């Protein structure tokens, strides 16, 4: 069983004072799967996400990655293990150029990042790789532009290029479609579909069209607990799931 | 970058001005500007490129001034060793204070730097070796490397210019290094930098130590120029002054702090006749500048050059 799932949580619990945001969650993410985590507002998706990305520390329970307990590992160590996260609000470095943004991911692997005495032109050997990653997400030839001036959809694409530069085994995406227009959603979904080949993706997402199109497995969270799990067809016809969404504007 | 002839020309012109300056301006004033320009640049390395606001940088500047005065005057060390000792002690101090404050964020971090600086101020005020209110003086100007006689202000100016260029050169390199790239990334978006695998606390700490050490070099050099280390150097007012210089010059621009230091030191010199009123005038000028010029003097200059090129293009 354990070689089938790449990421697993066992009895994961997070309490803030007296409030238990995540209660005893067991979740398995299959290797090379595209897994969605959905649920109504306040279900604890973001808390859960921040736990497995190590931005929060669990009160109880373990997080296993390839069978190894990572529930106490530093967030900055995860990329070395092959895990990379994204953020709800697009996470680019606005005052750096597109090229520099992508290069920061490539630079990490080179082990030169503490060299404050070395000229940055030594990083130029990474430029070709960075340019080709930019081209892959439709930002080819724009490497010299500052990232801060990009429209929102393109920032998302840039973020994806930076993430892919790492060639992560497991990508954790926090609402990748949040704040995007219809056109951009299609574009980013295409890119994600392409990126999902040969790797595992777990994403929190509200947009059900995207979830239905991309994901092969869906976990529904409600009030901090797993409510249902299965394929889109199974989950969307589950009466408990429907009930938890009823009367909520974010069900669409 | 090296292939840009315009930048090289500007650099050469600035160097020529710096070399010729003592023929036109009082050398001690110029040296004071250079010291504060180095101090403000070191401070800007933290604020402008790592996003860390320290309100206690006087502790690095002032401690180093005391260390260099003590080693040169009392222990009889050579001048260059005294200055290096000042920088080294400031860097060690930066390691301790930095390690304790960078884990906090925003105002809490700033307050910790202030608290440390205040503690050190009272230590220096009551410690017997600092000379209390009188300070440590006169610090002898011993020949550099046993060869260069610095009792003459003009000769000392060129030594100070060399120290400044070395320090500023290091800051420039740090900003344009693989390390500097990560630093800018942390300033722009810290969580993302963490998620890309960067241990941000270590990067911030290294930046903090570099900034403290270079501030120390500036303070130690100041003690040699004025032959004096005093409580003014470790007073919180000094921490405020370096913030002022950086803000006025332009945070996060490499040359901004130089302009800011020249502006503030020059202004204090011009207004010296006003006595206590200098502070009031300085405050008013500061408020005006911050309200009118958000990006400091450097920001104004880049706005102007953009405006000029637009005007040219529209013709």
């Amino acid at each position: 069983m354990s070689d089938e799932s790449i990421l697993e949580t066992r009895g994961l619990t997070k309490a803030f004072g007296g409030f238990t945001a995540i209660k005893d969650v067991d979740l398995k993410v299959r290797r090379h799967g595209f897994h969605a985590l959905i649920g109504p507002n306040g279900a604890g998706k973001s808390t859960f996400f921040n736990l497995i990305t190590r931005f929060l520390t669990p009160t109880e329970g373990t997080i296993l990655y390839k069978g190894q307990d990572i529930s106490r590992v530093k967030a900055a160590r995860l990329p070395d293990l092959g895990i990379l996260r994204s953020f709800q609000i697009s996470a680019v470095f606005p005052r750096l150029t597109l090229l520099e943004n992508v290069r920061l991911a490539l630079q990490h692997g080179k082990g030169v990042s503490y060299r404050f005495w070395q000229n940055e032109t030594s990083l130029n050997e990474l430029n070709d790789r960075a340019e080709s990653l930019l081209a892959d997400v439709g930002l080819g030839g724009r490497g010299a532009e500052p990232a801060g001036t990009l429209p929102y959809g393109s920032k998302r694409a840039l973020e994806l290029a930076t993430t892919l530069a790492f060639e992560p085994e497991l990508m954790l995406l926090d609402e990748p479609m949040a704040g995007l227009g219809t056109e951009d959603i299609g574009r980013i979904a295409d890119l994600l579909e392409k990126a999902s080949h040969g790797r595992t993706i777990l994403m929190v997402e509200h947009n059900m069209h995207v979830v239905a199109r991309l994901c092969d497995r869906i976990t529904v969270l409600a009030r901090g607990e797993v409510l249902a799990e299965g394929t889109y067809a199974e989950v969307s016809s589950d009466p408990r799931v429907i009930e938890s969404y009823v009367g909520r504007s974010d069900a669409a | 970058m090296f292939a840009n002839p315009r930048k090289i020309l500007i650099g050469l012109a600035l160097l020529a001005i710096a070399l010729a300056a003592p023929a036109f301006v009082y050398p001690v004033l110029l040296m004071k500007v250079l010291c504060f320009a180095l101090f403000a640049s070191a401070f800007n390395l933290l604020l402008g490129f790592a996003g860390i606001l320290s309100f206690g940088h006087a502790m690095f500047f002032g401690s180093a001034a005391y260390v260099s005065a003590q080693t040169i005057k009392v222990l009889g060390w050579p001048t260059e060793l005294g200055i290096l000792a000042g920088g080294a002690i400031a860097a060690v101090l930066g390691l301790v204070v930095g390690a304790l404050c960078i884990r906090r964020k925003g105002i809490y971090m700033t307050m910790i730097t202030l608290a440390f600086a205040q503690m050190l101020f009272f230590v220096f005020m009551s410690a017997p070796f600092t000379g209390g209110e009188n300070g440590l003086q006169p610090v002898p100007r011993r020949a550099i490397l046993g060869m260069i006689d610095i009792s003459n202000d003009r000769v000392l100016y060129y030594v100070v210019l060399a120290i400044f260029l070395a320090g500023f050169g290091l800051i420039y390199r740090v900003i344009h290094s693989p390390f500097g790239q990560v630093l800018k990334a942390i300033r722009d978006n810290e969580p993302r930098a963490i998620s890309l695998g960067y241990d941000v606390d270590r990067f911030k700490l290294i930046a903090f130590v570099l900034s403290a050490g270079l501030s120390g070099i500036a303070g130690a050099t100041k003690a040699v120029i004025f032959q004096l280390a005093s409580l003014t150097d470790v007073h919180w007012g000094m921490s405020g002054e370096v913030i002022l210089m950086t803000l006025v010059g332009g945070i996060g621009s490499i040359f901004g702090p130089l302009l800011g230091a020249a502006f503030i030191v020059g202004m204090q010199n011009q207004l010296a006749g006003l006595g206590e009123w200098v502070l009031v005038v300085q405050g008013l000028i500061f408020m005006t500048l911050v309200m009118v010029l958000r990006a400091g003097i450097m920001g104004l200059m880049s706005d102007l050059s953009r405006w000029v090129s637009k005007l040219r293009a529209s013709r």
Side-chain angles (χ1 to χ4, degrees), chain A residues 139-232:
Chain A
L139 292 170
R142 299 176 63 181
E145 292 177 30
T149 57
L150 286 179
Y152 197 75
S154 301
K155 278 186 185 153
R156 277 289 181 196
L158 171 62
E159 193 187 342
L160 199 59
T162 310
T163 302
L164 290 175
F166 254 97
E167 298 182 6
E169 280 188 79
L170 173 62
M171 281 165 67
L172 305 170
L173 310 175
D174 193 2
E175 297 195 26
M177 304 301 166
L180 291 181
T182 330
E183 208 167 292
D184 282 330
I185 286 178
R187 189 172 138 219
I188 300 293
D190 289 345
L191 290 173
L192 285 182
E193 189 166 28
K194 213 165 89 186
S196 69
H197 295 307
R199 53 170 64 90
T200 314
I201 300 182
L202 170 66
M203 80 176 178
V204 173
E205 185 49 60
H206 276 300
N207 187 315
M208 289 306 146
H209 301 291
V210 173
V211 170
R213 180 185 149 193
L214 294 175
C215 301
D216 46 34
R217 192 145 195 92
I218 295 160
T219 299
V220 187
L221 274 188
R223 297 202 190 100
E225 293 176 278
V226 176
L227 187 66
E229 196 177 306
T231 63
Y232 183 76

Side-chain angles (χ1 to χ4, degrees), chain B residues 240-277:
Chain B
E241 206 145 278
V242 75
I243 298 176
L244 192 71
M245 288 171 184
T246 310
L247 279 174
V248 165
I251 299 170
S253 94
I254 293 174
F255 292 99
L258 311 192
L259 290 171
F263 182 81
I264 300 284
V265 172
M267 189 178 75
Q268 284 169 347
N269 190 59
Q270 289 297 310
L271 301 178
L274 296 177
E276 290 289 306
W277 286 93

Side-chain angles (χ1 to χ4, degrees), chain A residues 3-211:
Chain A
D3 50 3
E4 199 205 355
S5 68
I6 188 166
L7 183 79
E8 184 181 346
T9 67
R10 288 187 190 156
L12 201 63
T13 300
K14 178 69 184 176
F16 297 102
F19 172 69
T20 308
I22 290 291
K23 215 178 297 169
D24 204 20
V25 171
D26 294 325
L27 185 93
K28 280 185 181 172
V29 180
R30 269 189 306 121
R31 188 184 291 271
H32 294 171
F34 204 135
H35 200 127
L37 189 64
I38 66 169
N41 281 338
K45 300 183 300 292
S46 291
T47 306
F48 182 78
F49 197 82
N50 282 326
L51 285 172
I52 56 174
T53 53
R54 298 294 305 108
F55 275 61
L56 285 176
T57 299
T59 315
E60 265 174 72
T62 49
I63 306 160
L64 298 172
Y65 172 69
K66 294 182 182 173
Q68 181 198 345
D69 185 359
I70 58 160
S71 48
R72 292 290 183 275
V73 167
K74 264 187 172 181
R77 278 272 300 133
L78 293 186
D80 297 330
L81 299 174
I83 308 173
L84 218 69
R85 72 163 290 176
S86 78
F87 293 85
Q88 220 174 88
I89 298 164
S90 100
V92 299
F93 304 115
R95 281 187 270 181
L96 300 180
T97 66
L98 302 196
L99 190 79
E100 287 172 323
N101 264 270
V102 178
R103 225 169 50 177
L104 270 157
L106 298 170
Q107 180 187 333
H108 181 67
K110 281 194 49 170
V112 295
S113 298
Y114 288 110
R115 297 194 185 161
F116 58 80
W117 57 88
Q118 197 174 58
N119 197 321
E120 66 187 349
T121 50
S122 64
L123 295 172
N124 286 350
E125 62 179 45
L126 302 172
N127 288 1
D128 288 346
R129 175 96 183 95
E131 278 290 356
S132 87
L133 283 158
L134 283 173
D136 285 347
V137 298
L139 292 170
R142 299 176 63 181
E145 292 177 30
T149 57
L150 286 179
Y152 197 75
S154 301
K155 278 186 185 153
R156 277 289 181 196
L158 171 62
E159 193 187 342
L160 199 59
T162 310
T163 302
L164 290 175
F166 254 97
E167 298 182 6
E169 280 188 79
L170 173 62
M171 281 165 67
L172 305 170
L173 310 175
D174 193 2
E175 297 195 26
M177 304 301 166
L180 291 181
T182 330
E183 208 167 292
D184 282 330
I185 286 178
R187 189 172 138 219
I188 300 293
D190 289 345
L191 290 173
L192 285 182
E193 189 166 28
K194 213 165 89 186
S196 69
H197 295 307
R199 53 170 64 90
T200 314
I201 300 182
L202 170 66
M203 80 176 178
V204 173
E205 185 49 60
H206 276 300
N207 187 315
M208 289 306 146
H209 301 291
V210 173
V211 170

Side-chain angles (χ1 to χ4, degrees), chain B residues 29-313:
Chain B
L29 180 67
L30 286 174
M31 288 189 274
K32 192 176 176 190
V33 169
L34 287 177
C35 267
F36 280 101
L38 181 58
F39 187 24
S41 297
F43 176 80
N44 186 45
L45 177 64
L46 265 194
L47 180 60
F49 294 93
I52 296 172
L53 173 59
S54 158
F55 195 26
H57 252 49
M59 72 179 130
F60 308 123
F61 186 83
S63 303
Y66 277 124
V67 168
S68 76
Q70 186 76 16
T71 52
I72 296 169
K73 178 175 186 283
V74 182
L75 303 179
W77 287 19
T79 306
E80 63 277 7
L81 271 187
I83 291 175
L84 285 176
I89 295 286
V92 172
L93 193 58
L95 184 67
V96 176
V97 176
L100 288 164
C101 79
I102 51 170
R103 279 162 216 285
R104 301 278 167 277
K105 300 241 180 299
I107 189 78
Y108 301 102
M109 180 174 68
T110 302
M111 283 297 129
I112 292 174
T113 60
L114 176 62
F116 270 106
Q118 288 302 91
M119 267 157 43
L120 265 171
F121 176 79
F122 287 107
V123 168
F124 283 128
M125 196 169 74
S126 34
F129 63 86
T130 60
E133 300 280 340
N134 296 324
L136 269 173
Q137 58 174 328
V139 179
R141 286 188 186 175
R142 223 163 270 134
I144 298 279
L145 300 172
M147 297 186 306
I148 308 162
D149 178 19
I150 52 171
S151 54
N152 180 317
D153 280 344
R154 290 211 179 170
V155 178
L156 182 59
Y157 169 79
Y158 290 107
V159 172
V160 173
L161 181 64
I163 293 173
F164 165 78
L165 287 176
F168 185 71
L170 176 62
I171 292 170
Y172 187 88
R173 170 46 58 86
V174 170
I175 290 166
H176 296 285
S177 71
F179 174 82
Q181 282 282 311
V182 180
L183 221 51
K184 286 179 229 173
I186 294 171
R187 171 199 66 190
D188 274 12
N189 191 334
E190 188 170 330
R192 178 59 168 170
I194 296 172
S195 84
L196 289 180
Y198 292 111
D199 187 346
V200 298
D201 283 351
R202 277 177 74 178
F203 284 89
K204 285 182 182 175
L205 185 58
I206 294 172
F208 205 100
V209 171
L210 286 169
S211 174
L214 287 162
S215 300
I217 295 284
T221 308
K222 188 241 122 190
V224 171
I225 298 166
F226 291 93
Q227 303 187 273
L228 163 75
S230 74
L231 286 172
T232 316
D233 303 334
V234 276
H235 191 253
W236 66 265
M238 186 63 81
S239 300
E241 206 145 278
V242 75
I243 298 176
L244 192 71
M245 288 171 184
T246 310
L247 279 174
V248 165
I251 299 170
S253 94
I254 293 174
F255 292 99
L258 311 192
L259 290 171
F263 182 81
I264 300 284
V265 172
M267 189 178 75
Q268 284 169 347
N269 190 59
Q270 289 297 310
L271 301 178
L274 296 177
E276 290 289 306
W277 286 93
V278 172
L279 291 176
V280 177
V281 176
Q282 192 173 314
L284 286 173
I285 292 177
F286 176 54
M287 283 196 286
T288 316
L289 276 173
V290 169
M291 284 196 293
V292 180
L293 307 174
R294 283 284 166 87
I297 302 173
M298 254 339 249
L300 175 71
M301 285 172 61
S302 66
D303 282 350
L304 280 179
S305 78
R306 216 173 302 144
W307 185 66
V308 167
S309 57
K310 220 186 238 173
L311 213 66
R312 270 195 206 146

